[in-house]
Amino acid sequence: DTAVSQTPKYLVTQMGNDKSIKCEQNLGHDTMYWYKQDSKKFLKIMFSYNNKELIINETVPNRFSPKSPDKAHLNLHINSLELGDSAVYFCASSKKDRGLTNEKLFFGSGTQLSVL
Amino acid sequence: KQEVTQIPAALSVPEGENLVLNCSFTDSAIYNLQWFRQDPGKGLTSLLLIQSSQREQTSGRLNASLDKSSGRSTLYIAASQPGDSATYLCAVTDVSAAGNKLTFGGGTRVLVKP
């Protein structure tokens, strides 16, 4: 069983389209995250949710909207896609995120988004 | 603003040699530091987590040290194997961070030649 699974693995789309990436974790974790890895391989956090509540919201364009229907799911919807959105998007989860913790993060295998 | 640097960006060693990977961070007020492994087309796997009060962590052939005052961590991999070929990333959680916000380095791509 995959602990953190995200779909699709690859997403190729045209500029201006709207797309969603889904993420699910079966670890019973309370907190989920979205990270973006750019072409230079730098990983940066975008959002984190704890029990469906937004905890971290980095300076991400409001075209990106995370949605957490329950604590096991955190989907990422992107409106009006731009060329610069091309990257690999990783979902992750951890046991808890109320304040600082020493919990390890568990990552999904990534979604490679290519905007043409 | 925290910045994490990993040098070198790439490393190639013959099988059996010990690997030494370096990570430096600019703000020593960290809560913990993690080392991850990333394989092509796959997600990240957490290898070791060192809490700010600890000096090192060990798991099998892996040993990670932390020197908070100098802003450095080193990952040692003993007796490297071709299966150790991957990209290794370090990441820190700042004391001032909201929740488990990790700041990542750019990674060191390792190739272990048989």
Side-chain angles (χ1 to χ4, degrees):
Chain A
D1 281 344
T2 304
V4 181
S5 59
Q6 50 184 113
T7 55
K9 189 170 178 63
Y10 300 98
L11 185 53
V12 181
T13 188
Q14 299 287 333
M15 277 177 54
N17 284 349
D18 303 337
K19 291 293 179 185
S20 292
I21 306 172
K22 295 184 177 181
C23 180
E24 176 182 3
Q25 53 94 4
N26 62 7
L27 297 167
H29 288 169
D30 293 322
T31 305
M32 297 184 71
Y33 312 79
W34 278 107
Y35 278 82
K36 177 181 179 181
Q37 188 172 41
D38 61 24
S39 57
K40 295 183 179 179
K41 304 301 182 185
F42 275 95
L43 266 158
K44 292 185 179 178
I45 192 166
M46 300 173 70
F47 303 101
S48 81
Y49 270 72
N50 179 273
N51 274 320
K52 302 192 296 177
E53 180 185 350
L54 181 65
I55 302 297
I56 296 174
N57 184 352
E58 289 294 283
T59 50
V60 177
N62 57 15
R63 297 182 295 104
F64 290 78
S65 55
K67 285 182 172 42
S68 182
D70 54 63
K71 74 174 191 177
H73 295 83
L74 182 61
N75 303 322
L76 184 64
H77 188 75
I78 316 170
N79 289 328
S80 303
L81 278 156
E82 301 177 357
L83 293 176
D85 297 332
S86 296
V88 182
Y89 293 84
F90 286 97
C91 179
S93 71
S94 66
K95 279 186 181 178
K96 60 178 180 177
D97 194 33
R98 282 296 178 190
L100 295 168
T101 72
N102 285 308
E103 301 291 346
K104 288 185 177 180
L105 262 66
F106 292 77
F107 280 80
S109 57
T111 295
Q112 186 168 329
L113 172 64
S114 299
V115 182
L116 307 177
Chain B
K1 180 185 173 186
Q2 179 73 268
E3 291 184 5
V4 181
T5 303
Q6 293 184 246
I7 296 173
L11 185 59
S12 180
V13 299
E15 182 177 1
E17 196 166 295
N18 295 333
L19 281 163
V20 180
L21 307 179
N22 298 304
C23 173
S24 61
F25 45 95
T26 54
D27 186 347
S28 61
I30 65 169
Y31 194 73
N32 59 45
L33 181 146
Q34 293 188 62
W35 281 95
F36 292 87
R37 170 183 171 140
Q38 184 176 21
D39 293 283
K42 296 186 179 179
L44 282 71
T45 301
S46 180
L47 298 173
L48 293 167
L49 183 150
I50 312 176
Q51 298 178 33
S52 61
S53 58
Q54 297 174 328
R55 298 282 292 182
E56 66 176 350
Q57 279 286 328
T58 299
S59 175
R61 294 184 295 111
L62 305 179
N63 174 277
S65 65
L66 175 63
D67 184 343
K68 247 183 29 169
S69 59
S70 66
R72 292 180 185 175
S73 176
T74 303
L75 177 67
Y76 299 89
I77 303 178
S80 61
Q81 303 169 0
D84 294 329
S85 299
T87 297
Y88 292 83
L89 298 111
C90 72
V92 300
T93 299
D94 295 330
V95 169
S96 60
N100 266 358
K101 174 187 170 183
L102 298 180
T103 302
F104 280 86
T108 295
R109 192 171 66 253
V110 171
L111 175 64
V112 180
K113 296 176 287 188

